Amino acid sequence: MKPLSYVLGLLASQQPVGYQNLSDFEKLWSGYDVKTAPVTKVVEPAPIPTSQLIPPPNMPPFENPLTLPSDFVWGVASSAYQIEGAAKDEGRGPSIWDTLAHKTDLIKNHDTGDVACNHYYLYKEDTQRLKAMGVPYYSFSISWSRVLPYGKGKINKAGLQHYIDEVDYLLENGIEPIVTLFHWDYPQALQDLYGGFVDERAVNDFVDYAEIMFEALGSKVKKWYTFNEPQVFCMHMKVVSKTARKEIPMFGNTPDEVYMKCVHNFHLAHAKAVEVFREKFGRDNDYTISYKNAFASVRPLTESAEDRQAAERYLAFAQGWFTDPIYLNGEYPEAVWEAFGDKGLREFTEEEKKLIIDSADHFAWDGYSGQPVKAPDGGIAACIANEKHPRWPECAVLVDQVEGDWMRGAKSSDDTPWLRNTPQFFREGVMQIWKKFKTDIVIAEVGTSIYNEQKLSIADARYDSDRVEYYHAYLREVLKLVNEYNVPVKGFVAWSIYDNFEWFVGYDVRFGIQYVDYETQKRYFKKSFFYLRDFFNHYIANY
Ligand code: GAL
């Protein structure tokens, strides 16, 4: 293991790569009109008003005798760009998300993460609020370009120190950090240098960055994720690489060659970072590393062979492409080969396979929602044979609401059409993962937006009964999975700690279990937060 002096040495000596002097930092940021918050110093926390801690009435009852194991992990989640703000402060470089927000028209209302929830300066208050609610785990991500403004090379001392301070503060307050290295905010300097994760140089740059973070935080942080949802990030690469169709990014968008290269490099970057991690910290102890998966849990709309095939194809592309090499055999699914075999898809070498297979300690799933799947009009075979077909290569259509069916709850919001309350799909999704991969499962993110919540007053938004109903439904499935089906679900992390910048839909959608008043930067516990607290207090044995 490299000693701490390795990081300190890097801090002292490294020069920016490709940028020659200080004013290059300004060059990095040219053309971004970055806003700053009124508060730009770390704030000592004020006591939480006791009125905020009064629990709401009319909670669903906890009546059954089931339990969760005493080491069950429950927590709340966030990600750097969505909450930190301080976009250009203390030496942070821009990421592709600063660019999407500032230099394209793709984000609703032209919202940006410039200020967001100002967590960079308010992290102490945010920690105290978690402590007051008895939250044992906080899952958050590091901004890569805060630590390495140029993506590689020169370390930004202030940025790295910030994360060391935040981790120390969490631990002092009895909250265990879960750290994700990379939650979509890829350094813009690397995007400019070689086009981002489509280029194989991205692999080693990620591993170098990971090593810096393992070195800096590894003595304190035991639970790590390399990537958040490469399924979605690689779609962003496609958007950033300007090959996307003019649809709303992510919805109805399909994989192409940019995506294919990005997925390949994800596998190598993840596996090599995990190799470094295990060399440093060993295995079979309480250190864990994995990555977070995003896919819908699906079932065929009808029993027809075509619909069944469509559901299988959806899973091959959205799940298997990412999971099979890691959890099974180092190989991509057949359907992926058929689609991209003649387009430069590479097989992993034997050496790469060795690294990739078993490079995750559990299966982390962000299982927000599920959907029926059907074959496209005109049939599956015609779609597979036609690369110009709008559904190619999956050739699977996610179905929204089916008349007369009670399986999917009401629309979560106009801007999150992919998300409905679907507890039965959730249970089936976990069962499918368990049957196929036979590994521990952590629900690394789930949560919901609520129809028109952004239009409510603070007092009304706090009364988020629809969100309570969502969590209640999913958590009852977790209880059943653990107690009746004996599935090793080891954790459940709620998205999100509070309302925040929701990517392409900006601040117009709220996912928080705390309300954020963006004008005052005050936070308010919502009913759902009390529900989660009470649920886990009730069910985790000896909690
Ligand atoms: C996840 C993502 C989060 C958050 C959430 C709600 O896929 O990791 O960053 O945005 O969805 O949409």
Side-chain angles (χ1 to χ4, degrees):
M1 186 189 292
K2 285 182 187 142
L4 187 63
S5 57
Y6 165 75
V7 172
L8 299 177
L10 282 174
L11 283 172
S13 70
Q14 296 267 331
Q15 291 303 310
V17 174
Y19 296 85
Q20 297 311 314
N21 53 51
L22 252 187
S23 68
D24 287 328
F25 181 73
E26 287 306 324
K27 269 192 223 153
L28 264 184
W29 279 105
S30 95
Y32 300 78
D33 184 16
V34 179
K35 287 187 276 308
T36 42
V39 171
T40 54
K41 276 209 168 63
V42 173
V43 177
E44 288 308 316
I48 298 164
T50 42
S51 60
Q52 274 212 25
L53 290 164
I54 300 166
N58 305 327
M59 291 285 214
F62 303 127
E63 55 212 1
N64 68 39
L66 307 176
T67 58
L68 294 171
S70 58
D71 60 354
F72 192 86
V73 170
W74 90 267
V76 301
S78 71
S79 91
Y81 190 71
Q82 293 180 274
I83 66 162
E84 280 184 352
K88 200 183 156 188
D89 293 2
E90 297 195 343
R92 178 179 174 276
S95 75
I96 57 169
W97 269 94
D98 296 273
T99 308
L100 284 165
H102 278 275
K103 299 192 177 184
T104 77
D105 294 324
L106 290 170
I107 314 299
K108 194 164 181 195
N109 301 326
H110 285 101
D111 285 340
T112 75
D114 289 357
V115 175
C117 310
N118 212 17
H119 175 78
Y120 189 77
Y121 299 114
L122 300 180
Y123 74 86
K124 292 191 177 177
E125 177 185 335
D126 291 341
T127 304
Q128 291 304 330
R129 296 180 67 82
L130 299 188
K131 186 179 180 182
M133 294 295 267
V135 177
Y137 290 89
Y138 174 43
S139 173
F140 64 98
S141 79
I142 310 284
S143 158
W144 180 344
S145 62
R146 196 182 284 292
V147 175
L148 293 159
Y150 305 88
K152 61 184 188 168
K154 185 180 167 56
I155 293 180
N156 173 31
K157 206 169 172 173
L160 186 62
Q161 190 60 48
H162 167 81
Y163 292 112
I164 296 172
D165 293 347
E166 179 164 359
V167 162
D168 284 343
Y169 194 75
L170 284 164
L171 290 169
E172 277 163 28
N173 285 286
I175 298 169
E176 198 173 327
I178 302 174
V179 168
T180 299
L181 288 169
F182 173 48
H183 194 124
W184 304 352
D185 43 358
Y186 190 66
Q188 185 62 41
L190 297 182
Q191 189 68 35
D192 293 342
L193 200 60
Y194 48 68
F197 246 82
V198 294
D199 190 285
E200 60 192 21
R201 281 171 281 183
V203 173
N204 284 342
D205 287 342
F206 176 76
V207 179
D208 288 347
Y209 158 59
E211 183 158 12
I212 290 165
M213 296 317 303
F214 295 153
E215 208 52 67
L217 299 180
S219 61
K220 308 160 196 242
V221 177
K222 300 214 165 76
K223 295 187 187 311
W224 294 79
Y225 291 115
T226 53
F227 281 65
N228 180 70
E229 304 180 354
Q231 289 92 341
V232 180
F233 167 64
C234 286
M235 210 45 91
H236 296 170
M237 272 290 113
K238 187 177 153 177
V239 173
V240 171
S241 306
K242 298 197 172 58
T243 65
R245 303 192 180 98
K246 288 203 176 352
E247 304 164 57
I248 301 174
M250 282 165 58
F251 306 129
N253 218 333
T254 64
D256 67 354
E257 285 161 64
V258 167
Y259 190 88
M260 170 192 91
K261 288 184 187 154
C262 176
V263 179
H264 199 78
N265 291 329
F266 148 72
H267 276 290
L268 295 171
H270 164 79
K272 288 184 179 181
V274 171
E275 184 190 28
V276 172
F277 182 84
R278 288 179 178 161
E279 271 168 16
K280 282 184 193 304
F281 307 121
R283 275 194 95 171
D284 302 322
N285 50 32
D286 49 0
Y287 277 82
T288 63
I289 190 158
S290 187
Y291 72 99
K292 292 159 69 185
N293 278 288
F295 49 85
S297 45
V298 293
R299 77 162 71 131
L301 179 66
T302 72
E303 280 308 303
S304 76
E306 288 255 309
D307 286 355
R308 287 211 304 271
Q309 197 188 345
E312 274 165 29
R313 288 186 70 87
Y314 170 81
L315 278 180
F317 285 91
Q319 183 196 72
W321 200 347
F322 298 83
T323 54
D324 295 5
I326 294 173
Y327 296 98
L328 298 182
N329 51 16
E331 283 172 21
Y332 294 136
E334 207 46 50
V336 172
W337 273 113
E338 278 164 18
F340 290 105
D342 62 353
K343 297 188 168 42
L345 183 65
R346 273 217 302 108
E347 220 178 323
F348 294 114
T349 64
E350 285 310 309
E351 213 174 304
E352 288 169 346
K353 280 187 192 174
K354 266 194 217 140
L355 279 186
I356 291 169
I357 296 172
D358 193 28
S359 62
D361 293 321
H362 61 255
F363 194 110
W365 184 39
D366 299 352
Y368 285 83
S369 197
Q371 282 182 260
V373 171
K374 66 173 187 182
D377 293 344
I380 277 212
C383 170
I384 295 174
N386 174 12
E387 291 179 17
K388 300 244 166 346
H389 192 290
R391 294 288 160 193
W392 189 90
E394 297 106 319
C395 300
V397 179
L398 290 169
V399 177
D400 191 21
Q401 204 64 312
V402 182
E403 216 187 305
D405 186 0
W406 291 99
M407 302 296 278
R408 308 190 75 227
K411 197 197 267 191
S412 59
S413 84
D414 287 330
D415 287 318
T416 48
W418 52 276
L419 174 55
R420 290 172 186 266
N421 186 346
T422 55
Q424 298 179 41
F425 281 89
F426 172 74
R427 182 178 71 235
E428 287 171 12
V430 174
M431 293 297 288
Q432 184 265 339
I433 292 167
W434 169 237
K435 281 191 191 135
K436 184 168 173 191
F437 302 107
K438 289 284 172 214
T439 182
D440 287 355
I441 297 165
V442 170
I443 308 306
E445 276 182 31
V446 284
T448 191
S449 44
I450 293 181
Y451 206 79
N452 280 343
E453 192 181 8
Q454 74 280 12
K455 295 187 182 155
L456 300 178
S457 67
I458 299 173
D460 287 344
R462 284 179 64 215
Y463 218 105
D464 60 339
S465 300
D466 286 353
R467 189 171 286 110
V468 172
E469 187 180 335
Y470 173 98
Y471 279 123
H472 185 61
Y474 282 51
L475 284 166
R476 279 167 54 173
E477 298 302 343
V478 169
L479 285 174
K480 278 189 228 161
L481 284 160
V482 171
N483 289 273
E484 289 169 23
Y485 297 87
N486 292 320
V487 178
V489 180
K490 300 289 186 181
F492 186 99
V493 180
W495 183 272
S496 174
I497 178 175
Y498 43 49
D499 302 328
N500 58 55
F501 174 80
E502 176 55 20
W503 307 113
F504 292 104
V505 289
Y507 297 101
D508 228 23
V509 157
R510 291 175 178 263
F511 268 88
I513 56 174
Q514 298 180 72
Y515 184 92
V516 174
D517 178 350
Y518 296 110
E519 293 295 312
T520 61
Q521 288 296 353
K522 284 203 176 122
R523 288 83 159 110
Y524 301 83
F525 298 116
K526 297 183 193 173
K527 180 178 173 184
S528 55
F529 204 152
F530 289 95
Y531 171 77
L532 289 167
R533 176 192 73 174
D534 293 352
F535 177 93
F536 290 111
N537 279 348
H538 182 88
Y539 286 109
I540 296 183
N542 309 317
Y543 185 63

